[in-house]
Amino acid sequence: MRVGIGVRGAKTGEQTKHQQRTEATRSALLDAAKRIFARDGFEAARIEDIAGATGHTRGAFYAHFNSKVDLFFALFEQETGERLRGLRSIMEQYPSSDGRLRALRKFYVGRASDRQWAMLALEFKLFAWRHPKLRARLARTHRRIREALKLETISQLIPELMKVGRQSREVRRVALEAVLNGLVLEHAYDPEAISQTQAIAVLGRMFDVLMAAKQHAANGSF
Amino acid sequence: MRVGIGVRGAKTGEQTKHQQRTEATRSALLDAAKRIFARDGFEAARIEDIAGATGHTRGAFYAHFNSKVDLFFALFEQETGERLRGLRSIMEQYPSSDGRLRALRKFYVGRASDRQWAMLALEFKLFAWRHPKLRARLARTHRRIREALKLETISQLIPELMKVGRQSREVRRVALEAVLNGLVLEHAYDPEAISQTQAIAVLGRMFDVLMAAKQHAANGSF
Amino acid sequence: MRVGIGVRGAKTGEQTKHQQRTEATRSALLDAAKRIFARDGFEAARIEDIAGATGHTRGAFYAHFNSKVDLFFALFEQETGERLRGLRSIMEQYPSSDGRLRALRKFYVGRASDRQWAMLALEFKLFAWRHPKLRARLARTHRRIREALKLETISQLIPELMKVGRQSREVRRVALEAVLNGLVLEHAYDPEAISQTQAIAVLGRMFDVLMAAKQHAANGSF
Amino acid sequence: MRVGIGVRGAKTGEQTKHQQRTEATRSALLDAAKRIFARDGFEAARIEDIAGATGHTRGAFYAHFNSKVDLFFALFEQETGERLRGLRSIMEQYPSSDGRLRALRKFYVGRASDRQWAMLALEFKLFAWRHPKLRARLARTHRRIREALKLETISQLIPELMKVGRQSREVRRVALEAVLNGLVLEHAYDPEAISQTQAIAVLGRMFDVLMAAKQHAANGSF
DNA sequence: CATGAATGAGATTTCATTCAT
DNA sequence: CATGAATGAAATCTCATTCAT
């Protein structure tokens, strides 16, 4: 579907503008969806609100997406990809594996400030759990992104993490994900019970516990 | 069971058949609600399904609860209370503070197997976050239950936990809650990424890290 | 069904009290119905409100009446009868036909202060119009009451009114009814547009116009 | 009908097909509502019947009105406006104040044949009385229409009516309204008690009594 | 006679989706 | 591509009525 540069050149002016506008609308819809799905949850989010937030009506939405679920998947793909790309690019900036570990920690801890994403992540997971038929599709999307980004190489960039088995690495990743989402939710639920600063501190601690090299040998449970 | 002598004890503990039926139905509705709210989430849960699961019609539901939200609150109250009472009664069974700490750990880790409750807890928190106006009501209910159970005494039963400030205790409790809920969700979302055994292992580790006495002095961040 | 005095005498004490209580409940229900039907209208009036206003529950209502419609009819019968009896007894107090006419005027004008009855009358008429099948029943009830009270004699008590045909008398009666109900509604709707005093003044004027003897000969249209 | 030259006049009087359809549907809904509210009353009228009468579904109804109450208000506005405009245009056709008074009488008496409107008027007033919170809104709408039409000028067009105070004029108007609605209801309730011809005769008489110039001086009561 | 739990029909309203324009 | 009118399914909630107690 993508029109190559050469071809596009034929009617450059209009075509491009048209395409740009189209792309801009789609992009705006995704942005609005991000905000509104995070705010209201998948079920309570209304197509009209999402379209309205971009200054369009429902029709515009259906010109770009087939259904609410379709949008949800597209959002999942975009956001997941974005975060993984961000992580990857950060990793690549550091030559030493030590620096990479520190950068990873910073990246991880920093995500505690992105409540929107944490809420979205919760929604994605709840949705997948509650819609077994669509779950495979989400999983496929996830895998595709990871493969496209050759994310395996990320952990390979930190040799210390390689000392343990593949499964254990995955478990630790998932555990961190769990802690992150859980903490953000608790903070959102009751900011007085745990402040953002406190959540961040706990998060860092968890990271250290789960990722510090020395721990791996000592504890064989995961 | 009969308390009075022939007189149907209006003010005794006895119940008429009406009252018995009332209580039975209400209880059945709450049970069904627990299952269905956990399974479908607050928004997607249908009153009809909840009523139907008890063998009644929607009308019966409205004889016991004013609205879906009302039921949700009643469920919150019942379940939260139940868990806190369980915790309290466990604590009271152990004479030594050491035994109590071990029991607390076991209780905590064991909750990883109760997916239903974890999902409910997520729903309660998401709901509270998304309905600011009702949030205060949930919080009030929560506080009332804790006070009724004199839950403060629980941490007092474990002197080691008292060495640190009140706030820090609360933060650690919330953090554990977060980890628990997060892990259960991750496991539900993708059981292959983290098995129940693995989740339990991580959970125990987190408990040790957050609750072990020695840690408190060393780390002043929370 | 009515138990004669002799029979009732057998178990006088209890029986009578029981009957009294029964009758009192029924009476209370009718009283509450009067208020609530007038206030909310037939459709919006709730059985529960009516029963509740007497301190009872729905069950008590259904022990005395078969249905909402049934109650409505009973109320119609009671209220209509009451008013006609009142009118009759007033008429009978005056020896001269002139005095009777003045009393009739006073009675008529005074009804402007009884908003409740006017609203009920509106409801009865609207109901009858909207439920053709039940209309006959209402009409029968009405006729029965009038006949039981030999109301025809009332107009016979004012010879001046007899100078014109039967139909014309009826038309004037209905017209006065219409003016009365219409004015009460207008006053209820917007008390600033027409005060009670003003409504009463208009009402008296209408009475004079429609009932004054001299008019009858002059105007043959009704 | 085309105003612009080829250009679809967004700011001209022209309408797109969309707008035409919108207006047509809305109009049809109001027409159906008029019939059904008059027939069944506000409470008993079902949205489904109203929508169905236009060949649409309930959904279409909600694309045009927010609620049943909203529709009721729109209908009130339309119908009240229509009648006042009709009155105004009739008044303007007559040069002499005498002719205008006769036309006013004819207009008023003629309304006795419009049972639908009389029933609607009753419903509006009952509704307003029974919903104090919405009453202000109805009153505001009414006032707005009257002001937009400069209805004050109508009575100014008949100098005889000006001889008496403003309040008195209003009272007489309201009284006529009351008589009209009351008579139509009585006729609907029991056509045999008062025929349409008879109702019209009474109506004319009332008009003469309340509006005839000579009366004003003689009777100071209203 | 009276209670009140339960029914069940129906009412209003919401919203994802379709389709003519 | 975008509008917005309309659909239609479903959801929550109400209430007259029934019936076991």
Side-chain angles (χ1 to χ4, degrees):
Chain A
M1 281 288 165
R2 281 237 157 194
V3 184
I5 296 179
V7 179
R8 187 167 49 195
K11 285 192 167 190
T12 312
E14 307 90 327
Q15 269 277 14
T16 298
K17 270 188 189 164
H18 197 253
Q19 285 184 342
Q20 278 175 0
R21 278 237 318 243
T22 296
E23 192 45 48
T25 300
R26 196 190 129 96
S27 190
L29 284 167
L30 279 167
D31 260 20
K34 178 162 59 174
R35 234 190 43 223
I36 291 180
F37 277 138
R39 188 189 68 187
D40 300 343
F42 177 78
E43 290 286 344
R46 292 162 63 228
I47 299 286
E48 187 161 19
D49 283 353
I50 294 172
T54 70
H56 290 92
T57 57
R58 270 166 266 156
F61 169 82
Y62 282 98
H64 289 278
F65 302 96
N66 291 320
S67 68
K68 197 179 175 181
V69 166
D70 198 47
L71 168 65
F72 199 56
F73 275 81
L75 186 61
F76 176 72
E77 180 157 3
Q78 169 178 293
E79 293 297 307
T80 303
E82 209 162 89
R83 257 147 207 88
L84 292 183
R85 268 191 303 279
L87 173 57
R88 187 178 157 79
S89 86
I90 285 173
M91 291 292 95
E92 289 172 346
Q93 288 169 28
Y94 293 85
S96 75
S97 81
D98 204 52
R100 282 190 210 106
L101 190 61
R102 274 201 307 274
L104 185 62
R105 188 188 196 277
K106 196 178 160 202
F107 176 80
Y108 172 67
V109 167
R111 270 172 49 187
S113 309
D114 188 357
R115 175 184 301 186
Q116 194 174 75
W117 166 249
M119 289 300 172
L120 268 182
L122 278 179
E123 283 300 317
F124 287 140
K125 281 163 188 161
L126 284 170
F127 182 88
W129 179 56
R130 286 172 177 157
H131 300 81
K133 284 177 189 165
L134 298 174
R135 192 164 154 172
R137 211 177 123 193
L138 265 181
R140 246 188 338 256
T141 303
H142 207 163
R143 203 175 321 125
R144 183 159 45 76
I145 297 172
R146 293 185 73 85
E147 280 166 7
L149 289 171
K150 296 198 177 61
L151 257 202
E152 270 313 302
T153 63
I154 280 188
S155 37
Q156 286 166 12
L157 289 170
I158 306 176
E160 286 81 353
L161 294 181
M162 296 302 290
K163 289 181 188 153
V164 290
R166 188 185 194 288
Q167 194 199 7
S168 177
R169 263 180 284 144
E170 175 73 356
V171 167
R172 290 206 300 276
R173 185 189 65 73
V174 169
L176 283 178
E177 195 88 12
V179 177
L180 173 64
N181 290 335
L183 281 173
V184 173
L185 180 58
E186 293 291 341
H187 171 60
Y189 169 60
D190 186 355
E192 298 191 11
I194 183 164
S195 71
Q196 183 142 326
T197 313
Q198 291 171 321
I200 287 176
V202 172
L203 221 49
R205 184 82 178 282
M206 295 297 110
F207 184 91
D208 294 339
V209 169
L210 287 165
M211 290 304 201
K214 23 195 166 174
Q215 309 279 1
H216 304 154
N219 193 319
S221 54
F222 55 90
Chain B
M1 282 284 168
R2 285 230 157 199
V3 180
I5 314 170
V7 181
R8 203 160 48 194
K11 301 207 173 172
T12 67
E14 202 190 356
Q15 294 181 326
T16 67
K17 280 203 177 164
H18 256 144
Q19 289 174 321
Q20 279 172 17
R21 204 164 87 176
T22 299
E23 196 42 52
T25 302
R26 195 189 133 95
S27 190
L29 284 167
L30 279 168
D31 263 18
K34 178 162 60 175
R35 217 161 39 84
I36 290 179
F37 276 139
R39 189 188 70 189
D40 300 343
F42 177 79
E43 290 287 344
R46 293 162 54 215
I47 302 281
E48 181 152 28
D49 285 352
I50 294 172
T54 70
H56 289 98
T57 57
R58 272 163 296 164
F61 168 84
Y62 281 99
H64 291 276
F65 302 96
N66 291 321
S67 67
K68 200 179 173 181
V69 167
D70 198 47
L71 169 64
F72 199 57
F73 275 77
L75 187 60
F76 175 74
E77 179 155 4
Q78 169 178 294
E79 294 296 308
T80 302
E82 211 162 89
R83 256 145 208 88
L84 291 183
R85 267 190 303 279
L87 174 58
R88 186 178 160 79
S89 86
I90 285 173
M91 289 292 95
E92 289 171 346
Q93 287 169 29
Y94 294 85
S96 75
S97 82
D98 203 51
R100 282 190 213 108
L101 190 61
R102 275 202 306 274
L104 185 62
R105 189 189 197 277
K106 196 177 160 205
F107 176 81
Y108 173 66
V109 168
R111 270 173 47 185
S113 309
D114 188 357
R115 175 184 302 185
Q116 196 174 72
W117 168 248
M119 288 301 174
L120 270 182
L122 278 179
E123 284 299 320
F124 287 139
K125 282 163 189 164
L126 283 170
F127 182 88
W129 179 56
R130 285 174 177 154
H131 300 82
K133 283 177 188 164
L134 299 175
R135 191 164 156 173
R137 211 177 121 193
L138 267 181
R140 240 179 351 238
T141 303
H142 207 163
R143 203 176 321 126
R144 183 160 44 79
I145 297 173
R146 294 184 72 85
E147 280 168 8
L149 289 172
K150 297 200 176 58
L151 259 200
E152 271 314 301
T153 64
I154 281 190
S155 38
Q156 287 166 11
L157 290 171
I158 306 177
E160 285 82 352
L161 295 180
M162 297 302 290
K163 289 182 188 154
V164 290
R166 189 183 193 292
Q167 194 198 9
S168 176
R169 264 180 284 145
E170 175 74 356
V171 167
R172 290 207 301 277
R173 186 189 65 74
V174 169
L176 284 178
E177 197 88 11
V179 177
L180 174 63
N181 290 334
L183 281 173
V184 173
L185 179 58
E186 293 291 342
H187 170 61
Y189 170 59
D190 186 356
E192 297 190 12
I194 184 166
S195 71
Q196 182 143 329
T197 314
Q198 291 171 321
I200 286 177
V202 173
L203 220 49
R205 183 81 178 283
M206 295 295 111
F207 184 90
D208 295 337
V209 168
L210 287 165
M211 290 303 199
K214 19 192 167 177
Q215 308 279 0
H216 306 153
N219 192 320
S221 56
F222 56 87
Chain C
M1 280 289 165
R2 280 237 157 194
V3 184
I5 296 178
V7 179
R8 188 168 49 196
K11 285 190 167 192
T12 313
E14 306 90 325
Q15 270 277 16
T16 297
K17 271 187 187 165
H18 196 253
Q19 284 185 343
Q20 277 176 1
R21 278 236 318 245
T22 297
E23 192 45 48
T25 300
R26 195 189 131 95
S27 189
L29 284 167
L30 279 168
D31 260 20
K34 178 163 60 174
R35 236 191 40 225
I36 291 180
F37 277 138
R39 189 189 68 189
D40 300 342
F42 177 79
E43 291 286 344
R46 293 162 61 228
I47 299 286
E48 188 159 18
D49 283 354
I50 293 171
T54 70
H56 290 91
T57 57
R58 270 167 264 152
F61 170 82
Y62 281 98
H64 289 278
F65 301 96
N66 291 320
S67 68
K68 197 180 177 181
V69 166
D70 198 47
L71 168 64
F72 200 56
F73 275 80
L75 187 61
F76 175 73
E77 180 157 1
Q78 167 177 293
E79 293 297 307
T80 302
E82 210 162 89
R83 258 148 206 86
L84 291 184
R85 267 191 303 280
L87 174 58
R88 188 180 156 78
S89 85
I90 286 173
M91 290 292 95
E92 290 171 346
Q93 288 168 26
Y94 293 84
S96 74
S97 79
D98 203 54
R100 284 190 210 106
L101 190 61
R102 274 202 306 274
L104 184 64
R105 189 188 196 276
K106 195 178 162 201
F107 176 80
Y108 172 67
V109 167
R111 270 172 49 188
S113 308
D114 189 356
R115 176 185 300 186
Q116 194 174 72
W117 167 250
M119 289 301 173
L120 269 182
L122 278 179
E123 283 299 318
F124 287 140
K125 281 162 189 164
L126 285 170
F127 182 87
W129 180 56
R130 283 170 180 159
H131 301 82
K133 284 177 190 165
L134 299 174
R135 191 164 155 172
R137 210 177 125 194
L138 266 182
R140 251 194 327 264
T141 303
H142 206 163
R143 203 175 321 126
R144 183 160 45 76
I145 298 173
R146 294 183 73 85
E147 280 167 6
L149 289 172
K150 297 200 177 59
L151 258 202
E152 270 312 303
T153 63
I154 281 189
S155 37
Q156 286 165 12
L157 291 171
I158 306 178
E160 285 81 353
L161 294 180
M162 295 303 290
K163 288 181 187 154
V164 291
R166 188 182 193 289
Q167 196 198 8
S168 176
R169 264 180 283 145
E170 175 73 358
V171 167
R172 290 206 300 276
R173 186 189 65 75
V174 169
L176 284 178
E177 196 89 10
V179 177
L180 173 63
N181 291 334
L183 281 173
V184 173
L185 178 59
E186 292 291 341
H187 171 60
Y189 169 60
D190 185 355
E192 298 192 10
I194 183 165
S195 70
Q196 182 142 327
T197 314
Q198 291 172 320
I200 286 176
V202 172
L203 220 51
R205 184 82 178 281
M206 294 298 110
F207 184 91
D208 295 338
V209 168
L210 287 165
M211 290 305 199
K214 24 193 165 175
Q215 309 279 3
H216 305 152
N219 193 320
S221 54
F222 55 89
Chain D
M1 280 285 168
R2 285 231 158 198
V3 180
I5 314 169
V7 180
R8 202 159 49 192
K11 302 206 173 178
T12 66
E14 204 189 356
Q15 295 180 325
T16 68
K17 280 205 178 161
H18 255 145
Q19 290 173 320
Q20 279 172 17
R21 204 163 87 174
T22 298
E23 196 42 52
T25 302
R26 195 188 134 96
S27 190
L29 284 167
L30 279 168
D31 263 18
K34 178 162 59 175
R35 218 161 37 85
I36 290 179
F37 276 139
R39 189 189 69 189
D40 300 343
F42 177 78
E43 291 285 345
R46 293 163 54 215
I47 301 282
E48 182 153 29
D49 285 351
I50 293 172
T54 70
H56 289 97
T57 59
R58 270 164 298 166
F61 168 83
Y62 281 98
H64 291 276
F65 301 95
N66 291 322
S67 67
K68 200 178 171 182
V69 167
D70 198 47
L71 169 64
F72 200 56
F73 274 78
L75 187 61
F76 175 72
E77 179 155 5
Q78 169 178 294
E79 294 296 308
T80 301
E82 210 160 89
R83 256 145 209 89
L84 291 183
R85 268 190 302 278
L87 174 59
R88 187 179 159 78
S89 85
I90 286 173
M91 291 290 94
E92 289 170 346
Q93 288 168 28
Y94 293 85
S96 75
S97 82
D98 203 54
R100 281 189 213 110
L101 190 61
R102 273 200 309 272
L104 185 63
R105 188 186 197 277
K106 195 178 161 200
F107 176 81
Y108 172 67
V109 167
R111 271 174 47 186
S113 309
D114 188 356
R115 176 184 304 186
Q116 197 173 72
W117 167 248
M119 289 301 173
L120 270 181
L122 277 180
E123 284 299 318
F124 287 140
K125 282 163 188 162
L126 283 170
F127 181 87
W129 179 56
R130 286 175 177 154
H131 301 82
K133 282 177 190 164
L134 299 174
R135 191 165 155 171
R137 211 177 122 196
L138 267 180
R140 235 173 3 231
T141 302
H142 207 161
R143 203 177 321 127
R144 183 161 42 78
I145 297 173
R146 294 184 72 84
E147 279 167 8
L149 288 171
K150 295 201 178 61
L151 258 201
E152 271 311 304
T153 63
I154 281 189
S155 37
Q156 286 165 13
L157 290 169
I158 306 178
E160 284 81 353
L161 295 179
M162 297 301 291
K163 288 181 187 152
V164 290
R166 189 185 192 288
Q167 194 199 6
S168 176
R169 263 180 285 147
E170 175 75 356
V171 167
R172 290 206 303 276
R173 186 189 63 74
V174 169
L176 284 178
E177 196 88 11
V179 176
L180 173 63
N181 291 334
L183 281 174
V184 173
L185 179 59
E186 293 291 341
H187 170 61
Y189 169 60
D190 185 356
E192 298 191 9
I194 183 165
S195 70
Q196 183 143 328
T197 314
Q198 291 172 321
I200 288 177
V202 173
L203 221 49
R205 184 81 179 283
M206 295 296 110
F207 183 90
D208 294 338
V209 168
L210 287 165
M211 290 303 199
K214 19 191 168 177
Q215 308 280 1
H216 305 153
N219 193 319
S221 54
F222 57 90

